[in-house]
Amino acid sequence: MRQTYAGNADFPPMAKAYQNVSQVVREMGLLQRTKWFYALVAAGIVVALGGAITGFILLGDSWFQLLIAAALGIIFTQIGFLGHEAAHRQVLTSGPANFRLARILIGLVGMSYSWWDNKHTKHHGNPNQVGKDPDIAVDTISFLEEDAAKSRGFIRLITRKQGWLFFPLLTLLGLNLHLQGLKYLFTKKKVKGRWLEIGLIVGRLAAVLVPVFIMLPLGMAFAFAGIQFAVFGVYMGIAFAPNHKGMPIIEAGARLDFFTKQVRTSRNISGGWWVTTFLGGLNYQVEHHLFPSMPRPHLAKAREIVRDYCLSNDVPYTETTILRSYAIVVEYLNRVGLAASDPFDCPAVAQFGRP
């Protein structure tokens, strides 16, 4: 069986849908900046980071330091969320100021802003579209059956069970994000702010790792670094994975209207303010894709507008719980991974064993 992709015929065009919703959003002032909110977020991050540093100094040679490592992984992810919002011009008034802030914040978590921005911009323009969205390109995990079928060797073994392996593999995502960014900075010919980003990444790694390896025994230091990278990777992964994985895949040549493309391929996560805090506003993925520059505090109100419009116009609006979203991701990846199975394998034998 071949995976099918959605195209123009599957989704009827929504004439003036985005224009109508956008007009209501603007009239309600939901695109205005909320500096007070981001000032509080920044203050909270500074206090948390200060507490982690203080705890590291006071604990000394103790395995409780691994709790500090885990806390740093969480704090760096929250800084990453803030950097993501700055890149979308949600935080400050002017675009250039937002971009400068985003470059600094994303560099402080060990990633290249240029690499991430190039990738993320393509994703926002064409979410879940074959050949255009880099977020569904194969990278150990296959998000398309045609990619799964092409896997070979050890990767093929992973692909067959990739749904179950997805969350364990996220422990390596943090390290991969660092390496991908550095590779981009050192190999791409034209990169704006190349040396600033390299300096930020190297300086950040030095600021985190040098004190760790100086003050802690070697084994504990490696464990500290491993836990910090793992928590950062898992947290980043579980924040971004529910947004589009398992939603319709758009065929390469499809030309859909903006509203349809963004709403049909995105999934919201219910749960209220605590989920919004935990996921950095990414739980309102539908609204974020429709209005990328909308500040986090306004997304909940925008959700009511968009959801009501979708209901009145028979447009599916996808929202589920955070745990259900993870189950959907696992199920979808396992289904895609079946393409990497041996075509001569018998499902009944695999399930019940050989006679």
Side-chain angles (χ1 to χ4, degrees), residues 126-147:
N126 300 281
N128 273 16
Q129 187 158 12
V130 178
K132 293 185 177 181
D133 183 0
D135 283 4
I136 59 173
V138 62
D139 181 14
T140 304
I141 296 292
S142 293
F143 299 103
L144 306 175
E145 289 183 5
E146 59 191 53
D147 291 329

Side-chain angles (χ1 to χ4, degrees), residues 46 54 69 93 103 109 123 134 141 153 158 174 192 211 216 218 231 262 281 314 352:
V46 169
T54 302
T93 304
R103 191 181 301 276
V109 301
H123 160 71
I141 296 292
I158 294 176
K192 184 179 180 180
L216 301 181
L218 189 60
V231 171
Q262 302 299 341
D314 295 323
F352 299 109

Side-chain angles (χ1 to χ4, degrees), residues 332-349:
Y332 171 73
L333 292 178
N334 276 334
R335 187 167 67 250
V336 170
L338 291 175
S341 300
D342 188 332
F344 296 103
D345 280 348
C346 174
V349 171

